[in-house]
Amino acid sequence: MTQLDPKAGLGTIAIHGGQVPDPTTGAVMTPIYQTSTYAQEALGKNKGYEYARTHNATRAALERNLAALEGAKHGLSYSSGLAATNTLMQTLSAGDHVVCGQNTYGGTYRLFDKVWRRHGLEFTFVDAASVESIAAAFTPATRMVFVETPTNPLMQLTDIAAVVAVARPRGIKVVVDNTFMTPYFQRPLALGADASFHSVTKYLNGHSDMVGGALLVNDDGLHEQLRFLQNASGAVPGPMDCFLALRGTKTLAVRMERHDRNARELAAVLAKHPKAGKVFYPGLSDHPQHELAKRQASGFGGMISFVPGDGSLEAGRIVFDRFRLFTRAESLGGVESLVCHPASMTHASVPRERRLAMGFADGLLRLSVGIEDVADLRDDLEQALGAV
Ligand SMILES: *Cc1c(COP(=O)(O)O)cnc(C)c1O
């Protein structure tokens, strides 16, 4: 393993963390170990690899790299973000209770509500911007708090350290979906969380060309349990996808700096624009949790939501259809800028009354600000808004 100085910065860790030249050839980049099985030298004698559901060197290189980035002792990577969440839920047993943010990623909500509830887990969905609401939902059966910060698309934050302070004394594990911030800006384990979760599909890979997930943990027992469950239930990523993710993480530092810089500028444009209503971005000083954002993370990220015109579906449609450089698509976190209409795309399953009650207008649009030249992004945003 490259011996990294304990004070090495994240830009260095992103490139070198957990990486070794390939032991057979010295290849500087970990090869794609595209194999399902490994030869035994003799009965019971192998090189530590038996079957690729259990062990794959490309996957292991990615897991070491992600663990180094999060400052975690252990990393596990999965075939998708939801495969990681699903495996995490397998650590619980029927009758156990989970407290989850109500504004969580739609697929997470669906997995909990439509799959795990049927298997006897119980969930309470609360306003996770309020630590009091989280604590008030605890029951003697509560085993886990699952929060996403910031949330999608309303960019609400949860105070991670404050949640840990109420959960830990009761032996309740705290899991943070860190997809939007990435370890470059926010490190939940350092704030006391038990696990940091990622949809690797998004910023960690950063190039919109694979789907993957990860869990980063410090506790040896939890790690062992997750490893067992991953092997037992099979939610493993392929080596090609691990290679792509590992290629992506090498540029995490430069990408996140640029996503953040571009988004700050576009958020400022939107905040002053006569044709934009409410703007949701933790970097704006009028964001209700701006101080928490500054304290808990070292950047604000590349995600912005805003309400075009009067907030009607028609205003949203006119602006959405007018974008030229921003691509109309779901997902986020790639080098290219995307625009999404959550009410008809990512959040179509959320009832309209519930959306409106959360302050989520019919026409609300979400931007995943990419790393293009910001002047071009600004021009596109302004011409699109001009249509309303
Ligand atoms: C995409 C996403 C997920 C789910 O991850 P997949 O890789 O799509 O399975 C979970 N949480 C957040 C915040 C996401 O954006």
Side-chain angles (χ1 to χ4, degrees):
M1 196 94 25
T2 311
Q3 279 305 316
L4 280 184
D5 189 303
K7 295 192 301 297
L10 282 172
T12 304
I13 294 173
I15 295 166
H16 298 286
Q19 302 311 294
V20 273
D22 183 54
T24 50
T25 64
V28 169
M29 294 300 151
T30 303
I32 303 167
Y33 279 88
Q34 195 78 48
T35 186
S36 61
T37 189
Y38 305 88
Q40 294 194 357
E41 278 165 47
L43 197 142
K45 201 158 166 242
N46 61 44
K47 295 180 156 59
Y49 294 90
E50 291 170 273
Y51 183 63
R53 178 169 13 82
T54 324
H55 295 115
N56 179 278
T58 319
R59 192 207 316 171
L62 173 63
E63 291 176 338
R64 290 193 304 266
N65 183 248
L66 297 179
L69 279 166
E70 284 270 357
K73 198 163 164 198
H74 306 288
L76 297 105
S77 68
Y78 297 86
S79 46
S80 69
L82 285 178
T85 310
N86 195 49
T87 309
L88 184 70
M89 290 301 119
Q90 291 171 346
T91 64
L92 303 177
S93 303
D96 287 350
H97 175 245
V98 178
V99 178
C100 180
Q102 63 187 6
N103 185 208
T104 196
Y105 176 76
T108 306
Y109 176 78
R110 181 177 56 198
L111 175 65
F112 291 172
D113 187 54
K114 296 280 190 292
V115 180
W116 282 101
R117 240 194 242 285
R118 222 161 30 74
H119 290 275
L121 295 189
E122 286 172 22
F123 296 89
T124 304
F125 295 93
V126 301
D127 172 7
S130 153
V131 181
E132 293 73 31
S133 303
I134 292 175
F138 290 165
T139 74
T142 308
R143 298 286 174 267
M144 186 185 288
V145 177
F146 190 103
V147 292
E148 192 177 310
T149 180
T151 61
N152 168 25
L154 295 177
M155 308 304 288
Q156 270 187 358
L157 308 189
T158 297
D159 186 333
I160 299 170
V163 172
V164 169
V166 294
R168 171 153 305 159
R170 305 182 62 149
I172 299 168
K173 289 198 162 51
V174 177
V175 180
V176 177
D177 181 334
N178 201 26
T179 301
F180 272 32
M181 284 285 100
T182 83
Y184 189 70
F185 287 137
Q186 177 169 279
R187 308 226 283 170
L189 300 184
L191 296 168
D194 297 278
S196 180
F197 161 90
H198 284 278
S199 169
V200 175
T201 316
K202 315 294 168 51
Y203 287 107
L204 289 178
N205 173 60
H207 294 74
S208 306
D209 54 11
M210 56 76 76
V211 172
L215 287 169
L216 297 313
V217 302
N218 279 330
D219 184 71
D220 294 338
L222 178 59
H223 171 242
E224 212 172 294
Q225 196 182 9
L226 288 168
R227 268 290 160 220
F228 168 81
L229 288 167
Q230 181 180 46
N231 187 51
S233 60
V236 294
M240 175 78 188
D241 286 341
C242 293
F243 174 87
L244 288 170
L246 203 41
R247 159 175 275 209
T249 58
K250 291 198 171 61
T251 55
L252 184 69
V254 287
R255 285 188 289 107
M256 293 315 292
E257 289 287 347
R258 177 76 165 233
H259 282 296
D260 183 75
R261 185 148 40 93
N262 284 358
R264 285 183 202 219
E265 184 159 340
L266 296 193
V269 167
L270 283 166
K272 293 199 295 278
H273 203 286
K275 292 188 174 173
K278 208 166 161 36
V279 182
F280 302 84
Y281 185 65
L284 291 173
S285 56
D286 68 351
H287 185 284
Q289 296 164 300
H290 181 60
E291 290 308 314
L292 173 60
K294 286 199 286 190
R295 183 168 83 240
Q296 173 163 281
S298 57
F300 305 116
M303 300 301 298
I304 306 173
S305 296
F306 70 101
V307 177
D310 60 4
S312 64
L313 177 60
E314 208 34 44
R317 184 199 310 280
I318 289 169
V319 176
F320 183 79
D321 286 346
R322 208 20 132 87
F323 277 102
R324 293 185 193 133
L325 188 54
F326 280 82
T327 302
R328 285 171 283 278
E330 296 195 12
S331 200
L332 60 109
V335 291
E336 73 293 336
S337 292
L338 302 178
V339 57
C340 161
H341 175 243
S344 69
M345 296 162 72
T346 51
H347 290 65
S349 60
V350 180
R352 182 166 185 263
E353 307 71 62
R354 204 170 138 216
R355 273 199 286 107
L356 295 178
M358 289 193 292
F360 177 169
D362 292 331
L364 180 123
L365 298 181
R366 187 192 77 183
L367 303 177
S368 171
V369 179
I371 66 169
E372 299 94 336
D373 288 297
V374 72
D376 297 326
L377 296 177
R378 195 179 51 224
D379 286 351
D380 192 34
L381 179 61
E382 284 180 335
Q383 68 80 23
L385 268 171
V388 73

